[in-house]
Amino acid sequence: MKIILAGCLVAVLTYFPLFQGLTHYVNPALESYAAKTPISVAASSCNFHILVGPWSKFTDCDKAKDFLTKQGLSFKSTIRPQASR
């Protein structure tokens, strides 16, 4: 049990620095692009999908986030207030 908890602690402490290092050394152009060109997705209709299947309904926001993720681009999500009628 102690070994498993120690492994989890090591993972928690190294996860983000490890992937930042991978980006820095493997693809510095992507790191430079992300720093110069921040991307944000502002929408009011985004859903959070844990399990995806034929029953899943994808909004335009979900499709945009999926596209950006598949391109390897980092982005920030913001909530856009809905327009009043």
Side-chain angles (χ1 to χ4, degrees):
M1 184 72 166
K2 291 180 183 179
I3 293 174
I4 293 172
L5 289 176
C8 290
L9 179 62
V10 169
V12 165
L13 296 175
T14 61
Y15 181 78
F16 287 108
L18 176 70
F19 280 94
Q20 287 175 343
L22 279 172
T23 301
H24 179 74
Y25 291 108
V26 174
N27 197 347
L30 178 61
E31 181 183 39
S32 174
Y33 177 80
K36 293 176 186 171
T37 314
I39 301 171
S40 65
V41 176
S44 59
S45 62
C46 293
N47 296 322
F48 180 71
H49 300 279
I50 295 175
L51 299 173
V52 177
W55 60 85
S56 301
K57 303 282 188 235
F58 295 100
T59 63
D60 289 337
C61 177
D62 299 331
K63 293 174 186 175
K65 286 182 174 184
D66 182 57
F67 175 79
L68 291 170
T69 301
K70 287 180 179 174
Q71 301 306 311
L73 299 171
S74 298
F75 59 90
K76 296 190 188 250
S77 297
T78 58
I79 298 174
R80 182 181 64 183
Q82 293 183 346
S84 58
R85 296 177 184 192

